[in-house]
Amino acid sequence: MHTAEFIVSSARLTELHECSALLRRTRLRAEEIVDEARTLLAEAERDGDAERVRELTGQLDQARRSYCQVLNAYMLISRRITAERQEILQAQLEADRHAVA
């Protein structure tokens, strides 16, 4: 692997890790929002407030959908990080083989 290619790959990997960290924090917050929505819905159900139950059920469904989107993005970034690492390792192995030969 040429030095320039390694620098670009390393920079890409760093950016992917930064995105992953942001998505991890977002995922944790999305989990909290789903839990909060679930708690509010349970309270409304205990109180017998049918109007609020309908409203909060919709909000809980939206919170779950949003959580799924964040989770899917996090998984996609994680796979990309793995692929990028694999590409770097493969290129380094090939460079080492050429250096020894």
Side-chain angles (χ1 to χ4, degrees):
M1 176 178 266
H2 297 284
T3 303
E5 291 171 333
F6 181 75
I7 290 170
V8 170
S9 292
S10 294
R12 231 183 357 249
L13 192 56
T14 298
E15 289 173 353
L16 289 169
H17 276 290
E18 290 169 359
C19 289
S20 174
L22 176 61
L23 282 169
R24 189 175 356 235
R25 289 189 300 272
T26 304
R27 189 193 80 220
L28 292 173
R29 181 60 185 132
E31 287 174 6
E32 291 172 1
I33 290 169
V34 168
D35 288 343
E36 290 169 9
R38 193 179 297 122
T39 299
L40 290 172
L41 177 58
E43 288 173 5
E45 288 172 340
R46 274 193 308 271
D47 294 343
D49 188 342
E51 173 87 19
R52 197 156 176 248
V53 166
R54 278 191 298 279
E55 179 182 321
L56 291 171
T57 297
Q59 290 179 9
L60 177 57
D61 289 342
Q62 178 58 46
R64 286 178 176 154
R65 282 191 301 274
S66 295
Y67 172 75
C68 284
Q69 288 176 331
V70 171
L71 187 58
N72 287 335
Y74 182 74
M75 290 170 43
L76 182 67
I77 288 287
S78 295
R79 279 190 227 121
R80 187 63 200 131
I81 287 171
T82 300
E84 191 72 32
R85 282 185 184 148
Q86 186 65 34
E87 289 174 21
I88 290 171
L89 289 173
Q90 195 67 28
Q92 286 175 334
L93 287 173
E94 287 179 27
D96 289 347
R97 273 189 230 134
H98 290 300
V100 171

